[in-house]
Amino acid sequence: MRAREMHPLCCLAADCVPGAGGPDAAEADCSPTPPAVAAEEETAVAGVLYKWTNIGKGWRPRWFAIRGGVLAYSKIRRRVAAEPPPPPAASAARLIGVPRGGVGGAVGDHRPIGFVPLKVSSFSESKSDDKRFYIITPTKTLQLRTGSTKDRVAWIEALVSARSEYSLNGGVPCDQNEGSFSTEKLRNRLHAEGVGEAAIKDCEQIIHSEFTQYHSQMKQRCDEYLSFIGSLPRDLEVVNSGDASAVDKPRSELFKHDCSSSGKCSEYSNTESSDDAGKQDAGQLSDEDEFHFYDTRQSFSDTAASPDLKMRCSNSGSGTQKFGELLAIDKTNEHLLPSLKRRSELPVPLEKEKGVSLWSMIKDNVGKDLTRVCLPVYFNEPLSSLQKCFEDLEYSYLLDRAYEYGSRGNGLMRILHVAAFAVSGYASTDSRPCKPFNPLLGETYEADFPEKGIRFFSEKVSHHPMVMACHCEGKGWKFWADSNLKSKFWGQSIQLDPSGVLTLEFDDGETFQWSKVTTTINNLIIGRVYCHHHGTMNIRGNRQYSCRLTFKEQSFLDRNPRQVHGIVTDTNGTKVASLMGKWDESISCIINDDASKVNSHIANQSAGATLLWEKNEPPTNPTRYNLSSFAITLNELTPGLKEKLPPTDSRLRPDQRHLENGEYEKANSEKLRLETRQRMARKMQESGWKPRWFRRDTEDGTFRYIGGYWEAREQRKWVGCNDIFGNVSLCTSASI
């Protein structure tokens, strides 16, 4: 490969030659040198197209030419009398939209100002303008316009033809000869050891056989990779078309060519959404920006990788992960099972909600335990505390990554992802002004999310004190916890002090345990209600590493609140990594770096920082409860689910369901009825009531799942599960 020649997958070569246009040139600009393949071949198609540059300059004519699978364009300038005429275009070149002799006195500049590799490009027509079309690449979108509708059709046909002719499968040179090597040194060494000629020939035959097999495997992998890269233009068209249904399809369907009813494959899209996308993207481009190309491999990584692969690394280092390793980890998140379509918003309220005087409620309950106070549903969100336990597992993919890292022997990256998971559970608490429903004694909640690879189950196991236990199984890990949340009014604020231990166990035997930090909700009477988490979280591991996270307590004049800092130490107490970020935004880490970067408020932008976790985008249709997109799905009764649930599931709780539907009067009356029913819980617990699915591992230990729930669910046999949401008389007889 010559010095000026480059592989089609690499960056286009660019030279900056100030003043290269000569002293008489209208302006001196820097323009890239075209790829070698384009320079060696003659122009196939050429013509004038109007290109959108920017708002100030608008549409400008440019000379476009297709050479060897690359579309090059240059500025058009007027030729002065003393200037010699430009070299004539090749006789074989096809001109579109211009006479054979050119465009009057205007000529195209000899040096192109931009190149578009057609091999990784897609094309889209505009429905609003029959002369406009777009060229979409992994890094930019060109908005172009022809002189007539006929010219637009001709240009698109020429572009599609050039892309097909110079496809990646045919464009990448491949040595058809089998690889060869010499066994002369091996033969001489074996002769020196006194090995016979027959044994030497057997050794040579074995080596040749193994090498041939290896060579075939590498060639097959190369062909598969080139085939995948060649299918990316169709993927780009689907993504830019904005078709949500196509994006949700499996990857095998996403890369297939669209076929019409007549059986012909569509070579380019024709949608309004792509038209809008072109207006937004192309409107921000200028001629000076055109030659800033990026490595196509980076573009393919951003386009083809799944959302779970959002780990951005700035510089290489001990803490920076290679894309190949991340891609291998991400493959574990692919599921062959079809993804269940879950809702993206709550039902429209049936009634208009009436406000409640907060001050009248607070002044009568100062210093009391909030769990024993009867509050109207106005202060509740349509979720129970059991469902809130599962909300902490929204970012369970972090545990999947932790398992993969540990199975590869990288224990440090495992605990870093575990720490990020421990912090991520607080992300959904931001701007959540309402409290969840207190579950009834024996109330349960299940969550089966095959698209995330997890199954979750929780149960209220004690009423006084109120204790909830949960158990979750993922890909290579198990998570269980019990929690006893103590809360008190302090006039202007509420303090929530959780107690209980959270345990994470991987299939290889490594376990981590930690407890949650204190939460304070402020400005209950005056000002905007907000919460903050503060305290120290110690993540204790049973092997090499442990972690200590500090949630900074927010002060009145703090300009950078919600910060989290942490360190990871080994068994000798040596600091090996640092964590930093915000519990409502993201967490990053620095491995073997100094502490000065950790204390900086721009630590996430440090040269050696690696992003571990980032909060998901909020829903497009928020409500006053400010639920996350994940939380909106927790109380949903998907088709066929109600028949499988036990009578104790939180989704069947009537006051919570009425609140979600916006039936506030019914919700208040049902809540009062159920709390009257719940007053019997203490007597039930004192008379020997025991939880159905959990038991303490020791007298004062953690509640552990005893199994059997999912088996009973499959058989639809809920022995020992009473109708706790029914009428008082029925529940009383059922509990006796």
Side-chain angles (χ1 to χ4, degrees):
M1 184 175 289
R2 297 187 301 274
R4 293 300 308 165
E5 186 177 357
M6 284 192 173
H7 194 281
L9 296 183
C10 296
C11 305
L12 298 178
D15 290 336
C16 185
V17 187
D24 299 330
E27 60 181 359
D29 59 352
C30 295
S31 59
T33 301
V37 65
E40 294 174 356
E41 300 191 24
E42 295 182 351
T43 302
V45 179
V48 175
L49 288 172
Y50 291 89
K51 176 181 174 295
W52 177 263
T53 55
N54 52 50
I55 297 178
K57 297 181 179 180
W59 296 92
R60 292 299 178 96
R62 297 288 183 262
W63 181 262
F64 283 79
I66 301 177
R67 300 188 187 96
V70 176
L71 178 66
Y73 56 93
S74 57
K75 293 183 178 180
I76 294 179
R77 56 185 177 85
R78 290 285 175 181
R79 186 173 70 245
V80 297
E83 183 180 0
S91 58
R94 174 190 173 193
L95 299 180
I96 299 178
V98 294
R100 193 69 180 172
V103 192
V107 296
D109 199 329
H110 299 304
R111 293 177 296 103
I113 61 174
F115 301 96
V116 178
L118 301 180
K119 304 172 186 179
V120 291
S121 301
S122 59
F123 318 107
S124 175
E125 290 180 337
S126 170
K127 279 190 174 182
S128 61
D129 187 349
D130 58 0
K131 301 178 184 179
R132 190 186 309 172
F133 68 97
Y134 308 100
I135 301 179
I136 305 167
T137 71
T139 58
K140 63 180 179 179
T141 298
L142 267 68
Q143 185 175 186
L144 305 174
R145 192 174 64 184
T146 60
S148 64
T149 305
K150 181 180 178 181
D151 291 344
R152 184 179 77 168
V153 175
W155 267 109
I156 293 181
E157 289 178 352
L159 292 170
V160 171
S161 176
R163 184 181 69 180
S164 302
E165 181 179 357
Y166 291 91
S167 63
L168 283 177
N169 289 336
V172 178
C174 180
D175 187 5
Q176 301 296 332
N177 298 326
E178 296 292 337
S180 61
F181 62 95
S182 174
T183 59
E184 187 65 26
K185 292 183 179 180
L186 175 64
R187 171 179 287 274
N188 295 336
R189 184 72 176 87
L190 294 177
H191 272 305
E193 295 293 332
V195 180
E197 185 66 23
I200 293 177
K201 289 184 177 180
D202 289 342
C203 292
E204 289 180 331
Q205 184 64 29
I206 292 173
I207 293 176
H208 276 287
S209 176
E210 292 293 332
F211 179 81
T212 302
Q213 183 179 1
Y214 176 77
H215 183 270
S216 300
Q217 293 176 355
M218 293 298 102
K219 187 176 180 181
Q220 181 181 0
R221 292 184 180 181
C222 181
D223 293 340
E224 292 176 354
Y225 175 76
L226 294 178
S227 177
F228 166 73
I229 298 298
S231 66
L232 282 177
R234 284 301 311 156
D235 181 25
L236 291 173
E237 292 174 10
V238 172
V239 173
N240 282 278
S241 68
D243 188 354
S245 60
V247 176
D248 291 337
K249 292 181 180 180
R251 184 173 297 180
S252 60
E253 296 294 330
L254 185 63
F255 292 149
K256 288 183 179 179
H257 292 282
D258 291 335
C259 295
S260 61
S261 57
S262 61
K264 296 181 180 180
C265 291
S266 172
E267 292 291 347
Y268 54 90
S269 62
N270 190 3
T271 61
E272 280 290 346
S273 57
S274 60
D275 183 26
D276 298 336
K279 291 180 182 179
Q280 296 173 0
D281 295 340
Q284 300 175 357
L285 297 176
S286 63
D287 287 337
E288 288 73 14
D289 296 328
E290 294 305 333
F291 51 83
H292 291 285
F293 282 84
Y294 298 93
D295 195 330
T296 52
R297 285 175 291 184
Q298 296 177 357
S299 303
F300 297 155
S301 303
D302 297 338
T303 304
S306 70
D308 286 345
L309 212 56
K310 292 181 179 178
M311 182 173 292
R312 295 171 290 185
C313 305
S314 51
N315 289 340
S316 60
S318 57
T320 306
Q321 302 303 310
K322 297 180 180 179
F323 177 78
E325 183 179 357
L326 294 177
L327 186 60
I329 293 176
D330 189 62
K331 288 182 178 180
T332 63
N333 295 330
E334 297 177 357
H335 302 280
L336 299 178
L337 296 176
S339 177
L340 180 64
K341 182 65 176 180
R342 303 186 187 273
R343 66 184 182 184
S344 58
E345 59 183 3
L346 295 177
V348 178
L350 300 178
E351 301 174 6
K352 184 177 181 181
E353 191 172 18
K354 298 180 181 180
V356 179
S357 175
L358 183 60
W359 171 246
S360 63
M361 296 297 304
I362 292 178
K363 68 180 182 179
D364 296 331
N365 297 286
V366 174
K368 294 183 180 179
D369 188 347
L370 186 60
T371 60
R372 303 188 184 186
V373 175
C374 181
L375 298 175
V377 294
Y378 178 81
F379 297 103
N380 289 98
E381 61 184 12
L383 292 176
S384 73
S385 296
L386 297 174
Q387 292 167 318
K388 286 280 290 183
C389 293
F390 181 58
E391 197 173 355
D392 290 348
L393 288 149
E394 177 178 358
Y395 303 94
S396 60
Y397 69 86
L398 293 170
L399 300 183
D400 298 337
R401 290 181 180 175
Y403 171 73
E404 291 296 328
Y405 277 116
S407 62
R408 290 181 171 89
N410 194 340
L412 178 56
M413 289 302 295
R414 167 176 282 189
I415 192 172
L416 287 172
H417 280 80
V418 171
F421 168 78
V423 176
S424 69
Y426 294 96
S428 61
T429 63
D430 182 30
S431 300
R432 294 276 284 271
C434 300
K435 66 182 290 289
F437 281 87
N438 291 329
L440 305 183
L441 185 64
E443 185 175 335
T444 62
Y445 175 73
E446 70 160 59
D448 187 8
F449 278 61
E451 64 270 28
K452 297 174 71 70
I454 57 176
R455 289 197 311 182
F456 173 89
F457 178 73
S458 59
E459 180 183 12
K460 182 176 178 179
V461 296
S462 175
H463 186 62
H464 289 292
M466 190 180 77
V467 180
M468 295 169 294
C470 66
H471 179 87
C472 184
E473 298 177 358
K475 292 175 289 186
W477 52 268
K478 294 180 181 179
F479 173 83
W480 65 88
D482 58 13
S483 62
N484 177 13
L485 188 65
K486 298 180 180 180
S487 56
K488 287 186 178 182
F489 280 117
W490 294 115
Q492 178 70 350
S493 64
I494 301 176
Q495 181 174 323
L496 306 175
D497 296 312
S499 62
V501 178
L502 294 80
T503 304
L504 173 65
E505 181 181 21
F506 293 98
D507 286 354
D508 56 14
E510 187 171 12
T511 61
F512 297 94
Q513 289 186 325
W514 66 93
S515 297
K516 290 195 170 185
V517 297
T518 300
T519 298
T520 301
I521 304 176
N522 300 282
N523 291 347
L524 294 178
I525 302 177
I526 301 175
R528 179 178 176 271
V529 178
Y530 71 94
C531 74
H532 71 277
H533 311 284
H534 51 93
T536 301
M537 177 185 294
N538 293 306
I539 303 177
R540 302 172 297 276
N542 66 341
R543 291 188 180 173
Q544 187 176 2
Y545 299 107
S546 296
C547 178
R548 176 171 179 162
L549 296 171
T550 301
F551 290 69
K552 182 180 178 182
E553 186 168 4
Q554 185 172 342
S555 62
F556 182 73
L557 299 177
D558 194 352
R559 296 185 178 180
N560 193 24
R562 305 180 178 184
Q563 293 187 64
V564 179
H565 299 301
I567 60 172
V568 176
T569 57
D570 58 17
T571 54
N572 298 324
T574 304
K575 173 185 169 184
V576 294
S578 303
L579 295 105
M580 72 294 298
K582 294 185 177 182
W583 54 261
D584 63 333
E585 290 183 2
S586 63
I587 291 294
S588 301
C589 70
I590 298 177
I591 300 178
N592 291 332
D593 209 335
D594 56 15
S596 60
K597 291 183 179 180
V598 180
N599 295 328
S600 173
H601 69 281
I602 57 171
N604 289 346
Q605 303 175 2
S606 299
T610 300
L611 182 67
L612 297 173
W613 161 77
E614 188 174 27
K615 182 181 177 181
N616 292 332
E617 292 295 327
T620 56
N621 300 300
T623 64
R624 79 171 184 90
Y625 308 113
N626 203 28
L627 300 180
S628 64
S629 299
F630 181 69
I632 289 175
T633 67
L634 300 186
N635 200 47
E636 180 184 12
L637 280 171
T638 54
L641 178 61
K642 186 175 181 180
E643 294 76 17
K644 301 178 182 179
L645 295 176
T648 56
D649 195 275
S650 296
R651 296 181 182 89
L652 306 179
R653 179 166 175 162
D655 53 351
Q656 185 172 309
R657 182 62 58 186
H658 287 315
L659 176 62
E660 181 182 282
N661 295 332
E663 301 171 297
Y664 305 111
E665 294 296 333
K666 292 182 180 180
N668 277 312
S669 60
E670 285 293 333
K671 187 172 187 289
L672 180 60
R673 181 183 66 83
L674 291 177
E675 289 188 352
T676 302
R677 160 75 178 92
Q678 185 68 358
R679 293 190 182 98
M680 299 164 40
R682 180 188 290 272
K683 296 180 180 179
M684 294 171 56
Q685 192 168 343
E686 292 176 352
S687 62
W689 181 90
K690 292 184 179 180
R692 176 65 178 84
W693 309 104
F694 289 85
R695 294 288 186 273
R696 285 190 184 272
D697 50 8
T698 60
E699 183 176 352
D700 297 325
T702 304
F703 280 91
R704 295 290 301 273
Y705 175 61
I706 60 176
Y709 176 84
W710 299 104
E711 293 76 9
R713 182 182 189 269
E714 184 177 356
Q715 300 174 5
R716 311 281 179 90
K717 294 181 180 180
W718 301 111
V719 179
C721 297
N722 300 322
D723 184 11
I724 61 175
F725 304 129
N727 294 324
V728 175
S729 58
L730 294 177
C731 292
T732 304
S733 61
S735 61
I736 294 178

